[in-house]
Amino acid sequence: MKKKTLEDLNVAGKKVLVRVDFNVPIIDGVISDDNRIVQALATINYLTDEKAKVILLSHLGRIKKEEDIAKNSLEVVAKRLEELLEKKVNFIPYTRGPELEKAINEMKESEIVMLQNTRYEDLDGKKESKNNPELGAYWASLGDMFVNDAFGTAHRSHASNVGIASCLESAAGYLMEKELKYFGDTVDNPQKPFVAILGGAKVSDKIGVIENLLKKADKILIGGGMAYTFMKALGHNIGTSICEDDKLDLATSILENANDKIILPVDVVVTKEFREDAPFRVTNYKGMKDNEMGLDIGPKTIKLFKKELKGAKTVVWNGPMGVFEFENFATGTKNICETLANLKDARTIIGGGDSAAAAIQMGYREKFTHISTGGGASLEFLEGKELPGVVSLDDLEDGACGAGCDCGH
Ligand code: AMP
């Protein structure tokens, strides 16, 4: 079902609540990757240009105990947003109450107010994360309409997305629209050949993705830690490599049903210790010793994966090929990243999380068709699941008052 988007709303002079995903990494008070803020600028700029009063809501980190409060304040994010927008952002350090309400009531057209971290409400009974209806209705009462631009949290049903959307006319922001377009259209109707590359630590996180993509992709290249469960399922010695023994039967049955679509590493980079500067060697996948673990794909595998990627018209990548945080074991991930960045005439889509971070770190931000801002959300989308944050938005044919409205607007 097509969802309403920004242009379907009549925003001039209206108080527009916007759920953004400003859950950015912060180290010692400094934002180390502002991609999510940058990606939200289009929506915010559109709304201020159209004379809306823009009220921003986001979560940051997890709030389980009192100590989490100070380190997860959104104040530093508001400052960065101000720099990027070159506009004043009125940060209110509360999630509710008279000061916030006063600031919103005094807003003029094109002004921006930002609330404190929505998850501060989790300290008292997980109100945000459990989609407490009173909280969703309260936030909805602060505005006239709702825009959800937070793809990164769209797989969750929280008060600040689903809760607000159920009370107000609502639409997808530009970033949300872009994410849905690339993950939805591209993956559902891919230009062929369609190659998926999956890596990362665990098979269990990506079983649903593999099963869904087997129906759509021509090939699935598997690297990273998850490859070892498949190798063990095939009867190979994987030494002390990461492995999920309770998933061996599942791995066997996936391989049996894969019609040779799954390509596993043919060689690996092994070491005896899990540390940055541990001595390492390359061996073919049959040559691993009992005391060795595989931490990267080897050169023959890189060559093989490159061959499979040649001529691909659609590529989706999720998960690093090895422990890319350690320089000695980052070669596989770097090579895949570089190969994708240089593919001609292909749609290249990177799921969020580590692969997105790796691509950006390596300076390829502009070289991909799309780098997702959502790790978990992009995985659930690739599994073919519906995302509650999206489902809760108004369908295009809904009236001005939102889903279920029969007032005749
Ligand atoms: P994920 O969040 O599932 O995409 O996993 C990313 C993590 O997988 C990264 O922190 C990598 O260091 C880790 N990883 C990738 N390959 C391996 C491997 N061969 N052994 C252990 N961890 C790995």
Side-chain angles (χ1 to χ4, degrees), residues 60 63 68-74 93-95 116-124 128:
L60 177 66
I63 307 289
D68 298 330
I69 292 277
K71 62 175 190 259
N72 287 302
S73 166
L74 275 173
Y94 303 103
T95 51
Q116 183 53 283
N117 185 351
T118 54
R119 287 200 185 154
Y120 276 22
E121 293 280 345
D122 277 353
L123 203 56
D124 178 18
E128 154 73 326

Side-chain angles (χ1 to χ4, degrees), residues 163-343:
I164 301 178
S166 63
C167 301
L168 287 178
E169 183 184 11
S170 59
Y174 284 135
L175 174 59
M176 180 71 91
E177 208 186 333
K178 189 163 120 187
E179 297 270 12
L180 298 179
K181 174 171 163 240
Y182 286 121
F183 278 105
D185 302 353
T186 311
V187 175
D188 283 340
N189 305 302
Q191 268 204 313
K192 299 270 189 164
F194 173 19
V195 181
I197 310 168
L198 297 176
K202 291 194 199 153
V203 182
S204 50
D205 291 345
K206 287 171 193 154
I207 290 164
V209 177
I210 299 173
E211 287 175 341
N212 192 36
L213 288 182
L214 275 174
K215 292 181 232 149
K216 303 176 181 211
D218 298 291
K219 292 279 178 203
I220 302 183
L221 317 180
I222 295 186
M226 64 189 281
Y228 297 94
T229 302
F230 286 101
M231 289 189 207
K232 188 163 175 183
L234 287 170
H236 303 303
N237 178 19
I238 58 161
T240 57
S241 304
I242 186 169
C243 179
E244 286 169 278
D245 284 320
D246 60 334
K247 295 288 177 289
L248 289 172
D249 289 346
L250 187 71
T252 306
S253 93
I254 288 176
L255 289 172
E256 278 169 6
N257 295 320
N259 292 328
D260 296 328
K261 280 187 178 180
I262 292 183
I263 316 263
L264 292 169
V266 291
D267 62 347
V268 287
V269 183
V270 294
T271 176
K272 289 180 183 143
E273 284 170 83
F274 188 87
R275 63 180 164 85
E276 173 96 61
D277 55 349
F280 58 90
R281 70 181 186 105
V282 174
T283 173
N284 81 44
Y285 68 100
K286 287 182 181 164
M288 294 182 70
K289 296 189 184 134
D290 290 347
N291 61 351
E292 288 178 326
M293 65 184 93
L295 294 190
D296 197 7
I297 54 173
K300 284 189 195 145
T301 307
I302 294 174
K303 213 165 154 193
L304 173 67
F305 284 7
K306 281 186 176 172
K307 197 173 124 229
E308 294 294 342
L309 286 164
K310 204 166 172 209
K313 289 277 174 273
T314 306
V315 183
V316 171
W317 176 30
N318 194 303
M321 296 290 97
V323 181
F324 75 107
E325 297 91 335
F326 296 166
E327 187 56 35
N328 288 341
F329 307 103
T331 310
T333 304
K334 278 186 187 165
N335 270 272
I336 291 301
C337 199
E338 201 175 87
T339 306
L340 293 195
N342 292 312
L343 274 184

Side-chain angles (χ1 to χ4, degrees), residues 135-177:
L135 182 60
Y138 170 72
W139 280 332
S141 75
L142 301 174
D144 301 311
M145 51 188 68
F146 177 58
V147 170
N148 190 350
D149 214 19
F151 178 74
T153 39
H155 58 313
R156 309 265 183 240
S157 184
H158 288 177
S160 64
N161 56 359
V162 174
I164 301 178
S166 63
C167 301
L168 287 178
E169 183 184 11
S170 59
Y174 284 135
L175 174 59
M176 180 71 91
E177 208 186 333

